[in-house]
Amino acid sequence: QSTGLDTAQRRLVDYLVGHVAPITTLTPLDALMWSAGADRMLRAWSSATGDCVSRINCSAAPLCMLPVGDEMWVGGEERTVEVRDASTFVCTKRLSPPNLGPTRAMVLVWNKTVWAASWSQACLLYTSPSPRDMRRSR
């Protein structure tokens, strides 16, 4: 159970373990903190308690994540971008661009376009849900 970060004293007050290989990225979404690791795992942690509330096995190491509305977009070594429902953790869509390397970074621009950077020296643009379809703004 995590006790949080003491920002006034700027000192570590706890740490969480679970991944068995280096963590590649962290990102928050609502009351959860998502982590991804070279162990090919996604983990969702309760921001309030520090408990791991979900573990998801991936076929390759996730390298980046991006919250988009009620979804978590996950890119990585698999050369795809998985769109996951943030409440059920189920993969609802798999985006597979042809002949491109692993997805290394993603950003959401004006709540309508996801830009993804690939190790194959390309930027990929995906449409995201329209702002009226998104339940929360980022």
Side-chain angles (χ1 to χ4, degrees), residues 7-96:
T7 56
Q9 298 296 320
R10 292 177 182 80
R11 62 186 176 93
L12 178 68
V13 294
D14 203 355
Y15 62 95
L16 308 174
V17 294
H19 286 281
V20 295
I23 294 173
T24 56
T25 188
L26 293 169
T27 197
L29 179 61
D30 294 332
L32 298 177
M33 177 62 71
W34 287 61
S35 62
D39 57 359
R40 299 180 177 189
M41 294 292 295
L42 290 176
R43 289 179 177 262
W45 306 83
S46 166
S47 298
T49 65
D51 294 334
C52 182
V53 297
S54 183
R55 281 183 8 188
I56 302 162
N57 291 309
C58 300
S59 58
L63 300 172
C64 59
M65 296 181 289
L66 177 68
V68 179
D70 289 334
E71 301 168 336
M72 182 61 72
W73 289 39
V74 181
E77 289 180 348
E78 196 172 61
R79 299 177 185 220
T80 63
V81 174
E82 289 185 347
V83 179
R84 292 190 168 271
D85 182 288
S87 61
T88 65
F89 310 108
V90 171
C91 180
T92 59
K93 188 165 195 157
R94 185 177 299 252
L95 309 171
S96 300

Side-chain angles (χ1 to χ4, degrees), residues 102-137:
T103 302
R104 183 63 188 108
M106 293 184 288
V107 295
L108 178 62
V109 179
W110 297 304
N111 278 345
K112 65 180 184 176
T113 306
V114 173
W115 286 61
S118 161
W119 278 351
S120 61
Q121 303 165 347
C123 283
L124 312 170
L125 280 66
Y126 298 102
T127 57
S128 68
S130 68
R132 74 170 187 264
D133 294 336
M134 296 173 69
R135 294 191 187 156
R136 53 183 108 47
S137 61

